[in-house]
């Protein structure tokens, strides 16, 4: 049995979602942590396709949206996520990330729901995402929240799994 004081049993610290911060210093710093972790987990060097940060305008309404996840007590950024309009009614979730030390506490589901709500606000009826198989936690999160395998929708050499979810039933 895991002791109640272990990280698996600690509730997440209260967090606040900060929208519209794609071009901020905090977003750039979080993106750098994400890209470093991704390079390490995928076993790649600095590849321009992998490390290229999206233009903040691409994840700013009406073309998309971006959020930071910040702990309330410390103001530490512990994650971020973005959505991007692929076509009318279809939005892609891009670059969702949480710091490793806050994973497994429900924040992934919380952030994913926030991104789905932002996708709906951009007119999405359907959401898509691509992920690499080495990101086991992400694959588990997506399948446990109703995402289903779909055909590849982009040419991304790092994506091994493509998922979709209907946000609005017709």
């Amino acid at each position: 049995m895991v002791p109640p004081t272990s990280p698996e049993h600690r509730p997440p610290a209260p967090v606040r979602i900060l929208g519209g911060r794609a071009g901020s210093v905090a977003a750039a710093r979080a993106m750098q942590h994400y890209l470093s972790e991704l390079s390490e987990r995928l076993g790649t060097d600095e590849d321009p396709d992998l490390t290229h940060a999206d233009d903040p305008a691409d994840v700013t309404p009406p073309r998309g949206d971006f959020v930071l996840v910040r702990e309330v007590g410390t103001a530490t950024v512990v994650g971020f996520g973005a959505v991007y309009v692929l076509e009318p009614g279809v939005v892609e979730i891009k670059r969702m990330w949480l710091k490793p030390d806050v994973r497994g506490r429900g924040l992934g589901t919380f952030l994913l729901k926030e991104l789905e709500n932002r996708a709906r606000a951009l007119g999405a009826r359907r959401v898509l995402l691509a992920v690499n198989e080495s990101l086991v936690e992400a694959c588990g999160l997506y399948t446990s929240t109703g995402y289903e395998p779909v055909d590849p929708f982009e040419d991304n050499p790092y994506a091994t799994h493509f998922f979709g979810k209907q946000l609005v039933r017709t």
Side-chain angles (χ1 to χ4, degrees):
M1 180 166 178
V2 179
T5 57
S6 72
E8 293 82 17
H9 279 80
R10 268 187 289 146
V15 296
R16 172 173 290 143
I17 296 289
L18 302 173
R21 307 287 172 106
S24 69
V25 171
R29 195 173 302 125
M31 179 69 76
Q32 196 56 37
H33 289 296
Y34 161 78
L35 293 171
S36 293
E37 180 184 351
L38 200 54
S39 287
E40 183 178 312
R41 291 192 62 180
L42 299 181
T44 64
D45 291 327
E46 295 296 312
D47 183 298
D49 289 333
L50 178 61
T51 59
H52 170 71
D54 296 320
D55 179 350
D58 288 341
V59 290
T60 300
R63 293 166 42 190
D65 208 346
F66 181 91
V67 298
L68 290 173
V69 181
R70 188 177 77 184
E71 286 185 343
V72 172
T74 65
T76 302
V77 173
V78 297
F80 69 90
V83 294
Y84 173 74
V85 177
L86 291 173
E87 62 185 62
V90 181
V91 169
E92 180 183 7
I93 292 178
K94 298 187 67 78
R95 307 216 193 264
M96 185 175 146
W97 176 79
L98 289 169
K99 286 178 59 178
D101 63 335
V102 301
R103 294 177 190 158
R105 300 184 195 172
L107 288 178
T109 301
F110 174 75
L111 177 55
L112 184 58
K113 297 291 182 204
E114 178 67 24
L115 294 172
E116 289 173 354
N117 286 336
R118 293 195 179 242
R120 282 184 195 91
L122 292 166
R125 294 181 307 281
R126 181 160 179 71
V127 67
L128 300 172
L129 58 88
V131 66
N132 184 278
E133 65 195 352
S134 68
L135 304 177
V136 178
E137 308 92 335
C139 291
L141 171 65
Y142 301 138
T143 57
S144 72
T145 54
Y147 285 78
E148 298 178 345
V150 298
D151 291 332
F153 57 88
E154 67 179 0
D155 185 22
N156 178 340
Y158 299 103
T160 58
H161 292 50
F162 296 85
F163 294 104
K165 182 177 181 180
Q166 216 45 51
L167 295 178
V168 178
R169 302 282 177 205
T170 54

